[in-house]
Amino acid sequence: MKISVRHRLIKEIPVLEVVSEQDKNNSLPLVIYYHGWQTAKELSLTQARKLAKKGIRVILPDAMNHGERKTGGVSPIPSVTFWSSIQYNIIEFSQLVRHFDKQGLIMEDKIGVGGVSMGGITTCALLTQHPEIKAAVCMMGTPSPLRYIDRVMTRAAEMDIFVPKDLPLLLSWVAHYDLSKQPEKIAKRPVLFWHGTEDPKIPYSDVSDFYEGIKDKPFAENSQFMTGMEEGHLVKGEMMDVVAEWFEREL
C-alpha cells in the first residue's frame, strides 16, 4: 500500500496529512495525532503510517512553539511555553476537524485523537470538552494536569527557580480541561492509556492512580490502561502497532 504524506497549511496551521494514496480523496475515519514537547510533527510519522495502513486519514499538526512554528526560545518561567503550546492545540482542534468535515472527508463522524507526552495531555484535555471525539489514545501523557502544575511549582521552589506566585491563576484555564476532575466526560468512549513505569518526565502514578479510580465505573467500561514495565519516556514500534489496531477497531 502506497502512503501519501502531504505537507499542508490549514488556516496557517502546518500539518502533515498521511493517508493511503488510493483513498486520499475518499471519506475516511479521521485521527488527529499530537507530538510531544520540544519535538515536531515529523517524529509522529511512523505512527501515522501505521494508522494510514488501517484505512485512516491522519493529521499531524505542529504545536505552537514547535517545528515550523518555533519562533524563539522557551520562556524562563517553568511550564509557561509548555502550557501555551497545549492551549493552542486545544483551540485549533475544532478548526482542523471543520476543514475536513466541510470537504466531506470524515466518514460517519468518525473522529479520533491521540498523542504522546504533551500530545497525550492534549488528548485528555480535549476529551473534557469535545463529545464528537469517538475514540482516543493517551501515550505517556497525564489526565491530571493540575497535579502536574503543582509538581512544577514544588520542584521550582526546591531548586530555587523563580516562578510567579500567581502561575496557577495564569493557568486557571487548565482546571476546565482536567480529565481527572471530571472523568465522567469519558462517557463510555474507547480510551487507551499507556505509560512506562520508569518514565522520568511524567510519573507513571499519574495515570495508574487515575485509572484505578475509574476502572469500575460505567463511564469507563470501554477504557483500557496498559503498562510498560521498566520502560521510560519512549513509545516503541510494538506499541505503535497496538495504537493502530485500537483505532482500526474503535473508529
Side-chain angles (χ1 to χ4, degrees):
M1 178 187 292
K2 185 176 181 181
I3 301 299
S4 165
V5 179
R6 179 185 176 192
H7 178 274
R8 308 184 62 177
L9 280 176
I10 298 177
K11 297 298 181 180
E12 305 308 316
I13 305 168
V15 307
L16 295 176
E17 179 183 357
V18 186
V19 62
S20 70
E21 184 71 34
Q22 65 187 32
D23 287 328
K24 65 181 181 181
N25 296 318
N26 298 332
S27 63
L28 298 170
L30 177 74
V31 168
I32 300 177
Y33 203 84
Y34 294 94
H35 64 75
W37 169 242
Q38 292 188 313
T39 66
K41 59 188 181 302
E42 287 78 10
L43 288 187
S44 296
L45 269 171
T46 299
Q47 179 68 81
R49 287 190 173 97
K50 290 177 181 289
L51 287 163
K53 289 178 180 178
K54 301 294 188 180
I56 295 168
R57 185 185 314 277
V58 187
I59 304 304
L60 305 177
D62 263 335
M64 189 63 77
N65 309 306
H66 292 74
E68 295 176 56
R69 307 173 90 179
K70 191 172 181 64
T71 56
V74 174
S75 169
I77 306 300
S79 196
V80 169
T81 308
F82 178 79
W83 287 109
S84 172
S85 302
I86 292 174
Q87 188 177 38
Y88 270 99
N89 280 347
I90 295 168
I91 291 168
E92 294 170 350
F93 170 76
S94 295
Q95 183 71 70
L96 294 174
V97 171
R98 181 173 183 268
H99 174 84
F100 291 96
D101 187 42
K102 284 182 69 177
Q103 296 184 59
L105 292 175
I106 304 177
M107 177 189 288
E108 299 172 358
D109 296 322
K110 294 181 177 181
I111 300 166
V113 64
V116 296
S117 192
M118 182 179 77
I121 296 174
T122 297
T123 297
C124 291
L126 286 168
L127 285 170
T128 69
Q129 305 296 331
H130 291 276
E132 68 272 24
I133 295 170
K134 299 298 190 295
V137 170
C138 171
M139 309 294 284
M140 309 185 305
T142 175
S144 307
L146 292 176
R147 188 174 178 179
Y148 188 92
I149 292 171
D150 287 343
R151 190 180 298 116
V152 168
M153 296 284 287
T154 300
R155 286 181 179 173
E158 291 172 350
M159 299 174 68
D160 197 27
I161 298 172
F162 174 74
V163 175
K165 291 182 179 178
D166 59 347
L167 181 63
L169 180 61
L170 293 166
L171 298 178
S172 58
W173 64 268
V174 175
H176 300 285
Y177 292 87
D178 190 313
L179 187 61
S180 72
K181 303 299 184 184
Q182 45 193 326
E184 70 281 357
K185 292 286 187 71
I186 291 175
K188 298 187 178 182
R189 289 177 289 181
V191 182
L192 174 64
F193 299 91
W194 179 87
H195 217 96
T197 57
E198 304 306 312
D199 191 325
K201 296 184 178 181
I202 301 177
Y204 172 79
S205 59
D206 277 15
V207 185
S208 61
D209 289 351
F210 171 77
Y211 189 75
E212 283 299 310
I214 69 165
K215 65 180 183 180
D216 296 323
K217 305 291 186 182
F219 61 74
E221 64 183 21
N222 296 313
S223 295
Q224 183 179 350
F225 176 44
M226 299 182 68
T227 292
M229 293 304 299
E230 299 184 1
E231 295 196 38
H233 202 69
L234 177 69
V235 179
K236 297 180 179 178
E238 294 84 352
M239 272 310 303
M240 293 184 190
D241 290 331
V242 170
V243 169
E245 290 162 6
W246 175 270
F247 278 121
E248 178 186 33
R249 181 172 66 253
E250 303 296 350
L251 273 185

